[in-house]
Amino acid sequence: MTKKIIIAIDGFSSTGKSTLAKQLANHLGYIYVDTGAMYRAVAYFAMQHGYISKDFFDKDLLIQSLNSIKLQFKYNQNLAFAEMFLNDENVEQQIRTIEVSSFVSRVAEISEVRAMLVQQQQEMGTESGIVMDGRDIGTVVFPEAELKIFMTASASTRAQRRYEELVSKNPDITFDEVLQNVEERDYIDTHRDDSPLVKADDAVEIDNSYLTISEQFEIVLELVSEII
Ligand code: DC
């Protein structure tokens, strides 16, 4: 029997972390956890309750309400993917909007939010056989992960990918708006005090600006094979 490991995938937004993580999880029969969805669900909760808007954010109210936030991933057979539930409501669509994207980094800066989500993420990994993607998986959540990948690509490449995803649902969206959101999130994610996005010393860096999805998958699968 091959040994089960923890695969940590970190990197900038829209670098295709989740595409790679899902492919690996399906191929290896592992659990996939999208930690960005958890931060997005908390941001969506804050929006729903009026704690955050374009020029207002009541951090204290959000912190006081954290124990009334229940997050669950429920596997959807048809989509072959675990969807995010916030207090028993499927919020998978709602958390992917540009509005949530524009608030989520501010929510992810809060140490109390991070502590709560990191603890839940660590509990999910106790059995190994897990692929988890995010910003701090190899550095904070699973510093002992057997394989750490750090993904990068230029901001314009990432904004183009994201724009193509969003424009089908929202035809009014512009490329510049998406690029601005990507650059803002990069800045906040790399400059926050608590667990900023950094490459772990022992992570393998993959710049996929010029790699196809299958090329990138083959590279990482080779790394996995060497370990297991
Ligand atoms: O991966 P994503 O774009 O869905 O993540 C949404 C936001 O959540 C991102 O701007 C940074 C934050 N995040 C984080 O701080 N730590 C994680 N482990 C995952 C996401």
Side-chain angles (χ1 to χ4, degrees):
M1 221 179 89
T2 52
K3 80 169 176 179
K4 287 203 160 190
I5 62 169
I6 294 180
I7 303 176
I9 303 182
D10 289 304
F12 291 94
S13 64
S14 306
T15 41
K17 298 184 296 296
S18 66
T19 304
L20 173 66
K22 276 182 220 161
Q23 281 177 313
L24 286 170
N26 285 339
H27 185 86
L28 298 165
Y30 280 18
I31 292 168
Y32 162 54
V33 180
D34 168 8
T35 62
M38 300 170 78
Y39 288 91
R40 285 171 180 274
V42 176
Y44 179 64
F45 175 92
M47 259 172 70
Q48 268 184 324
H49 289 78
Y51 300 157
I52 194 165
S53 63
K54 218 162 181 268
D55 31 36
F56 168 83
F57 185 17
D58 193 330
K59 288 185 187 179
D60 292 333
L61 267 179
L62 176 60
I63 293 167
Q64 283 160 26
S65 314
L66 285 179
N67 52 16
S68 51
I69 297 181
K70 184 175 80 173
L71 301 178
Q72 288 165 298
F73 285 105
K74 292 190 191 168
Y75 194 76
N76 179 325
Q77 290 279 354
N78 297 330
L79 301 175
F81 169 70
E83 296 176 298
M84 184 82 246
F85 281 69
L86 166 64
N87 293 335
D88 300 316
E89 182 197 354
N90 184 338
V91 292
E92 195 49 48
Q93 299 291 323
Q94 293 89 318
I95 62 171
R96 308 286 168 192
T97 61
I98 188 107
E99 207 183 1
V100 169
S101 299
S102 67
F103 296 142
V104 62
S105 290
R106 279 149 71 201
V107 168
E109 279 183 302
I110 302 174
S111 293
E112 287 83 350
V113 170
R114 303 203 70 83
M116 177 177 96
L117 298 189
V118 166
Q119 190 193 347
Q120 293 177 10
Q121 291 152 11
Q122 287 171 334
E123 283 163 10
M124 294 176 203
T126 45
E127 307 263 305
S128 286
I130 191 164
V131 187
M132 192 174 277
D133 77 19
R135 304 292 188 287
D136 58 346
I137 312 305
T139 49
V140 176
V141 181
F142 295 124
E144 75 292 0
E146 288 87 345
L147 178 61
K148 299 180 188 176
I149 305 290
F150 189 82
M151 294 178 61
T152 62
S154 70
S156 60
T157 304
R158 291 183 284 128
Q160 185 60 36
R161 291 175 187 159
R162 194 93 190 95
Y163 172 73
E164 283 163 18
E165 256 173 56
L166 290 170
V167 79
S168 58
K169 292 180 210 143
N170 177 1
D172 295 334
I173 205 158
T174 64
F175 172 79
D176 287 346
E177 197 181 340
V178 178
L179 178 63
Q180 192 189 347
N181 175 256
V182 163
E183 286 174 341
E184 268 169 23
R185 282 207 285 156
D186 285 358
Y187 185 85
I188 302 180
D189 290 347
T190 50
H191 287 79
R192 65 172 171 241
D193 292 335
D194 189 347
S195 322
L197 171 64
V198 282
K199 176 182 165 296
D201 291 338
D202 50 351
V204 178
E205 182 164 339
I206 296 186
D207 181 336
N208 65 13
S209 302
Y210 303 104
L211 288 177
T212 65
I213 289 173
S214 57
E215 283 168 347
Q216 144 182 304
F217 178 60
E218 291 307 322
I219 293 171
V220 178
L221 203 54
E222 186 60 39
L223 297 172
V224 174
S225 311
E226 284 166 19
I227 299 169
I228 64 176

